[in-house]
Amino acid sequence: MEQAGGEAPIRVLLADDQALLRSAFKVLVDSEPDMRVVGEASDGAQAYALAKDRRADVVLMDIRMPGTDGLAATRMISADPELSGVRVVMLTTFEVDEYVVQSLRAGASGFLGKGAEPEELLNAIRVAAAGEALLSPAATKGLIASFLAQRGPDVPATGSAHAERLAALTGREREVLVHVAAGLSNDGIAARLEVSPLTVKTHVNRAMAKLGARDRAQLVVIAYESGLVRPRAD
């Protein structure tokens, strides 16, 4: 079923081990004319399989699930070339979560607290489907920076590899990347640089291609891990 105007609705997959929560999300999503739920998964392995089978556009993925958790499932989705267009939004019980940045590294487009308002959740789906980075209001730049600064021993040091790729960026692309990492939209960056939003979009897309980033959320992580943007001391 297509929306008015001929556009197909956003295909949403729900991945959470709590059936009651999935039911609530399904009612909410299906009430919107521009999106619909195409599947429900109770663990990460099922989410990965259904993402392929149901051709999902956006997966609402709980981080903590029995068996294959949301983090592992996100890595599987991100590593599968057939699922390059799938966007993952991580759902967390607490937005200050030790897995938040790990989920972004794994390929998630962003995260949202389970206590978010209905409109925030619906907006998250639309933002992710559009390929934008989704960082909820409580996920401040300082929080992201602090997590990225605290590398665990099990996290590979990818900074040097990212730094090498940064050398391929033009000066303007690096400048745009800094503003993306600061959380500015294309319109906001355009106003800062006194260029058109379309020009900014072109620079962002080129930076993504050169850095191998799936979306803007990945650009934020790369900007910090490469050292282009330094975590704030405060």
Side-chain angles (χ1 to χ4, degrees):
M1 182 178 176
E2 294 190 342
Q3 308 172 55
E7 291 186 13
I10 300 168
R11 300 171 65 84
V12 181
L13 175 64
L14 307 175
D16 196 296
D17 60 320
Q18 298 181 47
L20 189 59
L21 195 57
R22 292 200 310 271
S23 296
F25 285 157
K26 186 177 190 306
V27 170
L28 179 64
V29 171
D30 284 343
S31 69
E32 296 296 298
D34 62 336
M35 61 184 73
R36 67 187 177 93
V37 173
V38 295
E40 296 181 44
S42 58
D43 62 49
Q46 188 179 20
Y48 170 66
L50 285 176
K52 297 188 75 168
D53 183 63
R54 306 293 171 83
R55 295 180 293 109
D57 297 314
V58 176
V59 181
L60 292 182
M61 183 88 75
D62 186 20
I63 285 185
R64 297 184 179 91
M65 291 184 286
T68 303
D69 64 14
L71 196 59
T74 300
R75 289 195 187 100
M76 291 162 67
I77 290 173
S78 298
D80 192 329
E82 294 182 25
L83 300 179
S84 61
V86 177
R87 300 290 176 251
V88 176
V89 175
M90 285 294 197
L91 297 174
T92 66
T93 303
F94 303 102
E95 294 188 70
V96 181
D97 191 296
E98 62 183 301
Y99 297 120
V100 161
V101 171
Q102 289 185 47
S103 70
L104 292 177
R105 286 195 185 104
S109 294
F111 57 93
L112 196 68
K114 287 187 176 180
E117 294 295 323
E119 283 305 316
E120 285 184 89
L121 183 66
L122 296 173
N123 180 64
I125 293 171
R126 294 183 179 105
V127 169
E132 299 292 328
L134 175 76
L135 301 178
S136 62
T140 63
K141 293 188 293 293
L143 171 64
I144 295 296
S146 67
F147 272 117
L148 287 169
Q150 298 168 9
R151 289 182 181 276
D154 59 330
V155 178
T158 57
S160 59
H162 289 325
E164 290 177 8
R165 289 183 180 178
L166 283 180
L169 299 183
T170 64
R172 180 62 94 179
E173 287 164 357
R174 290 168 69 95
E175 189 175 10
V176 167
L177 179 55
V178 169
H179 288 308
V180 168
L184 293 181
S185 65
N186 285 354
D187 288 344
I189 297 173
R192 289 280 184 91
L193 302 181
E194 298 183 344
V195 297
S196 73
L198 183 59
T199 297
V200 172
K201 183 178 181 180
T202 298
H203 288 312
V204 170
N205 288 341
R206 286 176 179 168
M208 285 171 56
K210 291 179 180 180
L211 297 173
R214 284 168 61 92
D215 55 26
R216 292 172 80 100
Q218 297 302 295
L219 286 181
V220 173
V221 174
I222 290 171
Y224 278 108
E225 290 192 323
S226 67
L228 180 64
V229 177
R230 300 290 183 182
R232 297 187 323 195
D234 56 358

